[in-house]
Amino acid sequence: MAENEYVPLFETRQVKGPILFRCIAASILLGICLIVMYRIRYFSIGGKAERWTWIGLFLSELWFSFYWLLTTVCRWNAVIRIPFIHRLSQRFGKELPGIDIFVCTADPLLEPPSMVVNTVLSMMAYDYPPEKLSVYLSDDGGSNLTFYAMLEAANFSKTWLPFCKKFKVEPMSPEAYFRTASEPLNVEEWPSVKRLYEEMKMRIETTTKLNQIPQHVYKQHKGFREWNFVTSKHDHQTILQILIDGRDTNAVDIEGNPLPTLVYLAREKRPQYHHHFKAGAMNALIRISSRISNAPIILNVDCDMYSNNSESIKYSLCIFMDEEKGDEFGYVQFPQSFDNLTKNDIYGCSFRVIQKLEVKGLDANGGPCFIGTGCFHRREALCGKKYEKNFRFDLKKLNNTKVNERASLLEEICKVLASCTFEHNTTWGKEMGLIYGFPVEDIVTGLSVQCRGWKSVFLDPERDGFFGVAPITLLQLLVQHKRWTEGHLQVFLSKYCPLLYGYKKIPLKLRLAYCAYNLWAANCLATLYYVVVPCLCLLKGIKLFPKISSPWVLPFAYVAFSHHAYSLGELLWCGGTFLGWCNDQRMWLFKRTTSYLFASLETILKLLGYSQLAFVITTKVADEDVSKRYDQEMIEFGVASPMFNILATLAILNLLGSFGTMKKVTMHADKGFKVLDQFGLQILLCLVLVTMNLPVYQALFFRMDKGKMPSSVTYKSIIFALLACTLSVY
C-alpha cells in the first residue's frame, strides 16, 4: 500500500441516541430548577424541627442535583471505537510487537490456584505469535501451592495451546470452555484433552486441600527449594522461576510449535517494609519483565479474569499501531465483565449502563479511567514517560528484545529488581509505575498517565474480552464497594484530586467525570437523610413535599418518573431485564446507606491518623449452599455485620412509618383523603422504600435457610427502629 493511501486501523463513531438523552436531560434540569424554586418559596416558617428538616431535605436535593449534573456531563457526547484487525494483519503481517501479560494473585485460600491456572492458560492461548507472548504471575501470597499449580499449567499448556489453535477455542480458559461447550463431532482430541485437564485440576485441588506438595513432585523441580528459606508469606526472599523459556528451542508444544514464556514471581517481603499491595506487585513485574522480555505493550489482569476473546491483543494493537493517531494513546481499557451473573443480576454487578454509556462518554473527552484489570498499557507511558507530539512507535526497535543470558542466570540477576529495598530513593510508586498510597491504585495511576499528556481508549468488542467472578453474597459486594469508594474519596481529598491535579492537563469534562466516581462515598449522607427523615416526619405529622392537589407536585413527579423511566430504558437497551433494573436500584440503595457510609467514616479516620491503609481481597470461593441460593437469586445475608444492622434498621423504620400512616388513614376516614393529599409524596416514598426492602423483610422474618438475617441483627434493628420512632413523635 502506498504511503499516501492511509487507511485507519480503527474508527470512532458517536453512540446512538444523543439527541434523546440531551432532551430528557434538559427537561429534568428544568424540573430540578422548579423544585429548587419550591423549596425557597415555601421555606418552612413553623417550629424549629420543621425548619431544620426542610433545610436538610433541601440540601440533600441540591446534592442529588449536583451529582446528577456530574454524571450527565460524563455522558453528553459518548463515542465507540471500531477496530479493524484484518487491516492490522494486512499492513504489518508478522511484524507485531511483543506482549507482556501480568496476572496478579495474593492468597491461595481466597483465590484458588486452580482458578489462577485457568487465567494463565487463557492468556497463553491468545491468537498471537507465541514467541512474542510472555506471561508473568505475581504471587503475593508466596505460596508453594500456587507455584505447583503453575508447574502443572506449564505442562498442560503443551497440549492445551495447540488444541486452542486448531479448533479456535473460545473462551480459552479450560474450565470455562469445558463447562459451556458440548463435545463436537469428529474431534478425536476433545475427550482426551478434557480428561487431561480434569486430572490436572484434581491434582491441584487435592494438593491445595492437603496443603502439602507431593514428595515426588517436590524433588522434581529446583524451585521448591526456595521455600526452605521462607519464614511466612510476609517474610521471605524473592522467588523467581522461569518455568517456560520462550527463547529455548526445546520449549515447544506437542506439535513442535514454540511456547510463550512463563514466569513465576513472589517478590521479597519483610515485616519492616511496606509492600504496597497490588501496586507494588505490578511495579515489581514491570521491572522484572523489562529485563526478561521488555515487550512494549503490557496487559494486566486479575487472577480471576480469564480471556474470553482470542483477538483481544489484536484489537488493542489496532489502537496503538494506527499510523496517524495511535502514538497518542497510553492505554486501552476493556470492560470488566463477569461470567457468573444471574439472569436478573441479583447484586447489580454487571455495570451495564456504566460501561455501555458512561465510560464511553469519558472516551470522548480524553479517555476512560484505568480500572485495574483487562487493560493494555504502553510500557513507556506506564513507566512515567510524558507524551510528545513527535513520539513514534518504532517497530524494529520494540521487537529487538532478545537477551543472551541463560534462564538460571537471568533469574538470579532479576531477583534484585523485586527486592524490598530496590525502590528506595527512586520515583517508583510516585512518578514511575503504579502510584502508591491508595486502595484504588488503578484510578490514580490512569489519571497520572493522562495528566502526562497521554490519551486512553475504551474498547468494547461484540465478544467480551475478559470474564471474571462477581461477588455472590451481599457482604462481599458491600465490602468490595466500601474499598472502592473509600479509595476514590481518598483520591479526591489528596493532591491527586482531578480538579486540581488535572488542571490545564486534561479537559474539564474529564476532570468532572473523575469527580463523579471520586464522590461516590459523599452520596451517603443525602441518601440516608432521604431514607430516614421523611419517614420519621410522617409519624410526627411534618409535611416535607407539596400536596398532591398542588401544581408544585408536578416537577417532583416528573423528575422522579422521567429519571427512573429513562434509566430503565437504558438498562433494557443494554441487555438487562426489568427485574435486573429493580435489583440494580435496590443495590444502589444498599451501597449508599452502608458501603458509602463506612467508606466516608474510614476516610475521615485515616485523615485524622486513626486508621491505616489496608487492601481487602474479595474471596472467589463459596460453599455449595451459598452458590445454590445465588443461582436461585436469593440475597445472601447469613452473617452478622454492622452494615446489615443499618440495612435492617432502615427497612423496619420505613415499614413502621408506612403502617403508622395507613393506620391514620383507615381509622379516621373523614380525614383520610386530607392526609393522603397532604402527605401523598411522603407516603409514596415510604412505600417505594418498603418495596425495595422486601428481600430484607424476608431475611428478617420468613426465611429459614442459612442465608437469612442473623437473629442478633433482627433484634438490634427492631430495637433501634422502635427507639427512633418513639423519639421522633416527642
Side-chain angles (χ1 to χ4, degrees), residues 29 32 35-36 60-70:
L29 181 61
I32 289 173
I35 291 173
V36 172
S60 297
E61 289 165 351
L62 286 177
W63 172 259
F64 289 143
S65 302
F66 167 73
Y67 194 78
W68 174 82
L69 282 171
L70 284 182

Side-chain angles (χ1 to χ4, degrees), residues 130-201:
E131 65 274 11
K132 295 183 179 181
L133 276 180
S134 298
V135 180
Y136 295 80
L137 176 76
S138 170
D139 178 17
D140 255 12
S143 171
N144 58 357
L145 300 175
T146 304
F147 179 71
Y148 166 71
M150 289 294 289
L151 287 175
E152 290 281 5
N155 187 50
F156 180 67
S157 67
K158 297 175 183 178
T159 302
W160 178 245
L161 268 58
F163 178 76
C164 289
K165 297 288 192 301
K166 185 175 181 179
F167 299 105
K168 301 186 182 301
V169 167
E170 284 182 327
M172 295 95 80
S173 159
E175 180 69 25
Y177 175 71
F178 290 122
R179 184 180 66 239
T180 57
S182 56
E183 182 174 351
L185 298 174
N186 303 320
V187 179
E188 297 179 359
E189 296 97 326
W190 203 91
S192 61
V193 174
K194 183 179 181 182
R195 184 181 67 255
L196 286 173
Y197 168 69
E198 290 175 344
E199 290 172 353
M200 178 193 71
K201 179 183 176 183

